[in-house]
Every structure is written in C-alpha cells, then in structure tokens.
Amino acid sequence: MRDLAQGVARFQENVFPAKQGLFAHLAAHHAPHTLFIGCSDARVVPELITQGEPGELFVVRTAGNLVPAYTPGADGVTASIEYAVAVLGVTDIVVCGHSACGAMTALAEGHDLGGAPVVADWLRHADAALARTAGTEAGPRKVGALVRQNVYAQLTNLTTHPSVARALAEKKVTLHGWVFDIATGGVEALDAPGADTALAS
Ligand SMILES: [Zn+2]
C-alpha cells in the first residue's frame, strides 16, 4: 500500500489545490454526462483516456466490459446502469473494449478456465460475440475481431435494460462503441452495426 499512500499524498499536495473549486462544487452536485462501461483491466483508465474531469463520467468496469442482458432482480451492474440513466440522466453511454483483453483472449483462444469457474460463467455473457467470430482463424486477428463483436454484443445487451430502452425511445441517450488500443493510445469509434442496435458514434 506504500505506493498508493504516496499517491494520495501527492494528490492532496499537488493536484487537489488546483481543483479545489471544482471539488467544492461537486460536493453538492453529481451530474455526469456519460455512463462509461469499460473493462476492469488496469491499463484501461476511462478518465485518463477521455481526459475528463471528476464529475463527468459515471463508470462501471467489469471483466471483459460485459453487460449482462436484463433479467428481473437486483445486481450491481443493472443497478448502476439504472441509476446513471434513470436518476442521473446521462445523455451518452460508451461501451469500451480494448486490445489485449484477457477476457476476450481467453475466449478466443479457448483457455481452460477450470481454476476460475466464476469467470468462466461470467464470460458466457459474451457467447453471442464468440458465435459471430466462430469462422475467424485463431490468433491475434480473432482476439481483435472478438473485442469488436463483444462491444456490439454488449451494446445490444444494454438495450434490454428497461431504463436504457426507455431513454432510447425518448431519444434522451445515445450509445457509442469504442475500442481502446493500449500500445498506441488510439480510440476507435465503431460504426453503427446496422439494425443491430440503436448505436451511434
Ligand atoms: Zn479487458
């Protein structure tokens, strides 16, 4: 924890004073414009990639940036999506995949996940994406294709959530699919996948 404590000290000494006014405002206001759904991967940092200020992004990060399709009953991802869309009123939702994603690599290369059965179950939420890349030869190209198809599949899953479906019907929210490339820092905005979802970028 030593590095983290040093980081906190640097934040308090060097960063916070310059943003004191912003934080004073944020202490009483929470109005992010974007729900950012990304991978938990430590290399994909939403606020760094977008250079957003505190208060701009409502962030949900899951292994593989997966968004389970809606089912009745409470779960953390659904509750966070509903809160962002129905309560905070975000106007944009980004689902961001990334290069070298461990989750997508495991699926694309058929890794044995016997030692991580919960992960194996969780990755079933990418079944549709995996099916779409079934004809792609194994290798880096397959991982890349799966990363993209997975963003599309999770955007589709997102539209099954009633809060998102309502906001889309009322044209209050726009969906975006991104892929972040770790090596270059590039962000690719994916095109709308036809009639697949109401995706816009
Ligand atoms: Zn990942």
Side-chain angles (χ1 to χ4, degrees):
M1 286 293 287
R2 188 158 166 258
D3 288 345
L4 292 185
Q6 288 176 344
V8 170
R10 281 202 306 276
F11 169 73
Q12 291 173 343
E13 288 168 20
N14 304 329
V15 178
F16 184 83
K19 297 182 184 293
Q20 202 159 5
L22 173 61
F23 278 102
H25 173 76
L26 292 176
H29 300 87
H30 186 206
H33 50 71
T34 296
L35 166 61
F36 189 104
I37 301 174
C39 185
S40 300
D41 191 297
R43 301 164 294 180
V44 184
V45 183
E47 293 83 356
L48 188 65
I49 294 169
T50 63
Q51 287 293 288
E53 290 288 357
E56 292 190 17
L57 301 182
F58 191 91
V59 177
V60 174
R61 293 173 72 174
T62 66
N65 45 274
L66 301 182
V67 181
Y70 176 77
T71 54
D75 73 79
V77 174
T78 299
S80 297
I81 290 168
E82 185 181 81
Y83 187 70
V85 175
V87 179
L88 298 177
V90 297
T91 56
D92 294 89
I93 305 177
V94 174
V95 173
C96 183
H98 68 99
S99 63
C101 181
M104 294 304 108
T105 301
L107 288 176
E109 297 181 352
H111 293 180
D112 177 7
L113 292 171
V118 177
V119 173
D121 275 354
W122 172 250
L123 295 184
R124 296 296 305 273
H125 295 296
D127 276 355
L130 192 58
R132 289 178 193 164
T133 60
T136 308
E137 198 177 329
R141 276 192 59 206
K142 177 152 184 160
V143 176
L146 184 56
V147 165
R148 280 162 181 72
Q149 288 302 328
N150 184 52
V151 169
Y152 286 132
Q154 303 315 314
L155 284 164
T156 302
N157 286 351
L158 194 56
T159 64
T160 66
H161 289 251
S163 59
V164 176
R166 189 182 313 119
L168 285 170
E170 295 174 354
K171 301 192 186 311
K172 289 182 175 174
V173 74
T174 305
L175 307 186
H176 309 268
W178 287 6
V179 174
F180 174 65
D181 185 77
I182 294 172
T184 66
V187 174
E188 177 188 356
L190 300 184
D191 293 330
D196 199 9
T197 69
L199 172 66
S201 58

